[in-house]
Amino acid sequence: MSKNDRIFVAGHRGMVGSAIVRKLQEQGYTNIVTRSRSELDLVQQSEMKRFFAEESIDQVYMAAAKVGGILANNDYPADFIYENLMIEANVIHEAWRAGVKRMLFLGSSCIYPRLAPQPMAENSLLTGVLEATNEPYAIAKIAGIKLCESYNRQYGTDYRSVMPTNLYGPGDNYDAQKSHVIPGLLRRFHEAKESGAPEVVIWGTGKPMREFLYVDDMAEACVHVMALDAETYQKNTQPMLSHINVGTGEDITIRDLATTIGEVVGYSGRIGFDTSKPDGTPRKLMDVGRLHSLGWYARIGLREGLAKAYQDFLSSTRR
Ligand code: GFB
């Protein structure tokens, strides 16, 4: 792999894709190819075929996906499974057809069984029942891993997969309903501070535990994994268990997360709980041993990351 490779970052306008583009530029990669949705619809196979035939791409980062928080996953299951399956199948198949040798597919920690032993190791995949609120999304992401592995086994490609824990940071979706917990709570605590509201109500019981990774750390892990030589990647994975977890190895209750967000935002009122909303998986802490043995560790702590994310939220309200 060379710094002059033509690298297609699919989903470069999203939180993760834009962080990967920033990280590649920072590390001296000079030939990054991006397309907006209006220029290239990844759901359309014919468009993907034309794109790869014309562009001579060497590497692909698959950061394009339909994503959302617990309620969005629960409310729009058809969109989540259809769009993600189509994007993965089109990008992976057409990249292979055009001779792309190396790819990085990005999945999610929700691929693991709802009650997987904690921390969740890569070999927990397909050992139990998935969490109901995001099963369609998880099935699509599992299909993405299996697409990569199948093309590797049958055609000798070098398609890798990383499974990030819950991500947050600049470029997040701050929608009150459809977002993940951190952007949703940054908005709610900020608005409560501004209006002087005595209480912020968070969803569920506050008892579930989650692990959070700042998106710039995730981008750095992605570039690190892609830059490994093929022998090292293969030595640390297995042909049919080829994905690598990405996380911090530490988790926190949603209640403590809310308290920390309140402190970062500067809100001093009460926290209430709306238990009519789902809790989702009780816990999903990543086993990051495989990644550590490959030489990568997370660097940005939660409080530091939340402070940066809050600044991004504030500037998004001015954009
Ligand atoms: O971030 P979140 O939607 O992702 O929710 P999941 C995490 C936890 O925070 C759940 C609670 O227990 C929520 O009930 N929570 C409390 C809130 N207040 C809020 C709020 O205002 N907004 C949100 N969104 N949650 C998603 C999956 O699950 O995680 C996706 O649905 C994906 O498939 C993603 O894997 C990373 O961790 O529960």
Side-chain angles (χ1 to χ4, degrees), residues 6 238 266:
R6 274 177 76 70
Q238 292 158 31

Side-chain angles (χ1 to χ4, degrees), residues 68-71 73-74 80 108-111 133-134 137-138 164-167 176-182 184-185 188 201-206 208 210 212 254 257 277-281 284:
I70 192 164
L71 283 198
N73 268 270
N74 214 14
F80 277 83
S108 164
S109 59
C110 68
I111 59 161
T133 51
N134 56 33
Y137 176 75
T165 190
N166 290 28
L167 302 173
Q177 294 297 314
K178 294 181 185 165
S179 65
H180 289 104
V181 60
I182 288 181
L185 292 188
R188 281 225 291 295
V201 175
I202 69 169
W203 301 349
T205 61
R210 292 290 183 273
F212 297 100
I254 295 299
L257 173 75
K277 297 280 196 311
D279 269 345
T281 309
K284 45 178 176 174

Side-chain angles (χ1 to χ4, degrees), residues 8-11 15-20 60-67 84 87-88 92 103-109 111 137-138 140-145 148 159-165 167 213 215 218-223 225-226 243-244 246:
F8 175 45
V9 180
M15 176 176 72
V16 183
S18 57
I20 290 174
V60 176
Y61 284 79
M62 262 287 282
K66 166 101 181 147
V67 299
N84 286 304
I87 291 171
E88 293 159 10
I92 294 168
M103 168 151 12
L104 189 70
F105 171 70
L106 276 71
S108 164
S109 59
I111 59 161
Y137 176 75
K141 288 295 183 185
I142 294 170
I145 302 174
C148 291
Y159 294 172
R160 308 172 177 191
S161 298
V162 281
M163 298 302 120
T165 190
L167 302 173
L213 181 70
V215 72
M218 176 60 193
E220 190 180 81
C222 288
V223 177
V225 167
M226 272 295 255
H243 58 288
I244 298 177
V246 184

